[in-house]
Amino acid sequence: MVEVLRLNLSRVVDESYNILIGFGLFDSIPADLKANPVGEKYAIITDSVLKDIYGRRLLEKFSEENIDACLIDFPAGEESKNISTVTYLVRRLLEHRVDRKSAIITLGGGVVGDVGGFTASIYMRGIPYIQVPTTLLAQVDSSIGGKTAVDMEEGKNLIGSFHQPKRVYIDPSLLKTLPRREYLSGLAEVVKYGVIRDRDLFEYLERNVEKIKNLDEEALLHIIRKSCMIKKEIVEEDPLEENKRSILNYGHTPAHAIERLSCYKCLHGEAVSVGMRISGWIAVKKGFWRIDEWERQNKLLRSLGLPLKMDFNVDDLIEALYYDKKVEGGTLMFVLPKRIGEMFSINGRYKIPIREDEVRSFLLELNGNN
Ligand SMILES: NC(=O)c1ccc[n+]([C@@H]2O[C@H](COP(=O)([O-])OP(=O)(O)OC[C@H]3O[C@@H](n4cnc5c(N)ncnc54)[C@H](O)[C@@H]3O)[C@@H](O)[C@H]2O)c1
């Protein structure tokens, strides 16, 4: 005789949140949080570089508003995006008496957002967090959508969670202090949005290369707003990446492998640029995408100062590709363009299986074309 007790847990959750975008928004974050609180106390998590540039300034603004806040930092860079940093942060949060009624503020680029967001998702079984992105990459991509993660030696983002932020504050004026190479790297994700979803954005980028490279305020606001809109819409359609959201990973399968092979010396956006050339080439060779559009994509990337090629051994790259989370049943999967502004799908599925021998021969041909 077996007794069955059913634990009913079907529930509807509302994880909606506001993304605020504006020049000069940064200094008014504490005042806004006073008017629209997310927690009773705030732990600002940032990196060693940003602590002095913006961390102390934000802490000061919290103090002016009489809001309880603390500042915690860890060494800047992708090397810190690991589980040891998470343990370190948990200890600091405990020291600062951060509790379940508190909220974390991740102040930084994608590394701070990913590590801080992941920490928020597991600290005391999960507390709220707010994203304050400071790199272009984080402002147009990583701060939105609730993907959090840390890397393993074996590959990127292999430990993580979906944990949506409660709010995102995007102040493009923070980009003025961002090193140029980091800024240009972030533009790769903007080009990605154009290719995967928005031909108008792609053409806007083509027409405004110089303005964008010179951080013209109007152009910057336009590309950030458009990118956030696209990311938001895709996440709304498929929050847990069951299908459509995977198009945001265009170029990322090779990019993650390249980052790993370079021991994370190349920047994420630089690897994405090279990765889009590779994925785009696979799409061309499979007959899904016209070669002139692939060349147009590469021309735009090059004009924005992004790399298109990196030295790697094809077999090493293929081995590294297998650590991608899109690998299904041992098969390499890619998201591939159909035309600028639209991705290719088979029976409504966007992850396209490509045989390893095909990938190898396409890559060898591409390397030969160098
Ligand atoms: N969660 C997601 O959806 C998602 C999406 C894309 C990328 N990512 C992740 O994002 C990470 C890359 O993020 P990133 O490119 O922002 O790099 P990053 O966070 O390492 O920042 C780059 C460097 O710039 C410095 N910096 C940041 N903002 C600055 C500013 N305003 N002024 C001066 N210096 C500044 C940082 O201290 C750091 O040294 C990768 O780990 C990638 O996997 C996550």
Side-chain angles (χ1 to χ4, degrees):
M1 173 68 181
V2 177
E3 231 182 287
V4 178
L5 299 178
R6 183 167 174 80
L7 194 156
N8 292 300
L9 262 189
S10 155
R11 52 192 164 166
V12 180
V13 286
D14 184 357
E15 295 184 312
S16 312
Y17 51 95
N18 287 339
I19 302 160
L20 292 86
I21 309 172
F23 275 88
L25 183 66
F26 182 70
D27 286 328
S28 62
I29 292 173
D32 187 64
L33 283 170
K34 193 162 198 174
N36 309 288
V38 170
E40 290 177 358
K41 172 184 174 133
Y42 296 91
I44 306 164
I45 293 182
T46 194
D47 71 26
S48 49
V49 171
L50 291 158
K51 180 185 175 187
D52 293 326
I53 314 182
Y54 298 116
R56 292 185 207 286
R57 180 165 139 196
L58 188 59
L59 192 63
E60 185 65 25
K61 294 282 168 196
F62 271 107
S63 147
E64 284 170 20
E65 294 291 339
N66 289 318
I67 304 175
D68 194 2
C70 60
L71 180 63
I72 303 169
D73 71 292
F74 62 83
E78 186 76 28
E79 309 77 48
S80 287
K81 198 175 141 177
N82 56 47
I83 201 75
S84 311
T85 304
V86 176
T87 316
Y88 168 82
L89 289 175
V90 167
R91 294 219 165 93
R92 297 290 84 76
L93 291 168
L94 290 169
E95 268 170 25
H96 285 286
R97 306 254 182 276
V98 172
D99 62 22
R100 291 187 54 80
K101 294 224 165 116
S102 314
I104 284 174
I105 297 180
T106 55
L107 170 66
V111 167
V112 173
D114 280 12
V115 182
F118 180 63
T119 306
S121 78
I122 57 168
Y123 184 73
M124 297 189 172
R125 298 213 174 86
I127 64 168
Y129 77 117
I130 295 157
Q131 291 264 23
V132 183
T134 63
T135 61
L136 180 62
L137 178 133
Q139 297 196 343
V140 299
D141 189 355
S142 61
S143 63
I144 302 167
K147 270 193 189 180
T148 79
V150 291
D151 303 335
M152 292 285 290
E153 253 173 49
E154 288 79 355
K156 273 184 64 86
N157 301 331
L158 292 177
I159 303 177
S161 61
F162 282 101
H163 189 49
Q164 297 293 341
K166 292 288 178 205
R167 201 165 301 149
V168 184
Y169 293 101
I170 300 177
D171 182 345
S173 66
L174 303 186
L175 302 180
K176 285 181 189 145
T177 54
L178 186 65
R180 183 134 186 96
R181 186 176 163 207
E182 297 283 353
Y183 174 71
L184 297 178
S185 162
L187 289 173
E189 301 284 5
V190 183
V191 173
K192 175 195 79 180
Y193 288 123
V195 176
I196 67 171
R197 179 85 157 200
D198 191 332
R199 203 175 176 91
D200 287 347
L201 173 62
F202 187 91
E203 288 171 355
Y204 178 88
L205 293 171
E206 286 182 317
R207 285 195 309 275
N208 291 282
V209 166
E210 287 315 310
K211 279 189 178 175
I212 291 163
K213 282 166 94 175
N214 294 328
L215 277 89
D216 172 90
E217 286 203 2
E218 198 189 316
L220 201 50
L221 207 52
H222 180 79
I223 61 172
I224 292 174
R225 196 189 306 114
K226 274 275 176 193
S227 301
C228 290
M229 191 78 84
I230 295 168
K231 175 108 191 214
K232 167 193 110 68
E233 283 170 7
I234 294 174
V235 171
E236 282 169 350
E237 280 174 48
D238 179 16
L240 297 180
E241 199 171 317
E242 281 155 335
N243 181 24
K244 190 71 178 273
R245 186 168 176 173
S246 61
I247 67 172
L248 290 167
N249 282 319
Y250 171 50
H252 283 58
T253 302
H256 288 161
I258 288 164
E259 282 183 272
R260 184 163 178 263
L261 292 182
S262 83
C263 298
Y264 302 105
K265 293 283 177 291
C266 70
L267 301 182
H268 178 71
E270 293 170 349
V272 168
S273 177
V274 177
M276 288 195 283
R277 178 170 177 262
I278 293 174
S279 291
W281 177 246
I282 293 172
V284 169
K285 294 304 290 178
K286 292 292 290 182
F288 303 154
W289 199 21
R290 277 184 9 215
I291 193 162
D292 58 308
E293 288 216 336
W294 174 71
E295 284 164 347
R296 197 169 153 190
Q297 165 198 270
N298 300 342
K299 185 173 170 219
L300 176 59
L301 290 167
R302 194 181 304 109
S303 68
L304 290 168
L306 286 156
L308 288 173
K309 296 166 192 171
M310 274 179 209
D311 270 344
F312 56 78
N313 171 286
V314 168
D315 285 323
D316 291 346
L317 187 84
I318 287 177
E319 198 199 317
L321 286 173
Y322 279 99
Y323 287 101
D324 189 81
K325 290 185 294 307
K326 280 185 291 306
V327 166
E328 284 178 9
T331 306
L332 296 172
M333 310 289 277
F334 291 83
V335 286
L336 303 169
K338 180 179 174 190
R339 58 190 286 279
I340 291 171
E342 190 182 346
M343 294 303 270
F344 186 80
S345 64
I346 298 176
N347 299 327
R349 307 293 302 170
Y350 288 92
K351 282 187 263 183
I352 312 294
I354 308 286
R355 288 198 327 269
E356 184 187 310
D357 60 304
E358 285 185 294
V359 176
R360 179 172 287 101
S361 85
F362 297 158
L363 284 174
L364 286 169
E365 190 180 345
L366 189 63
N367 269 6
N369 283 344
N370 275 347

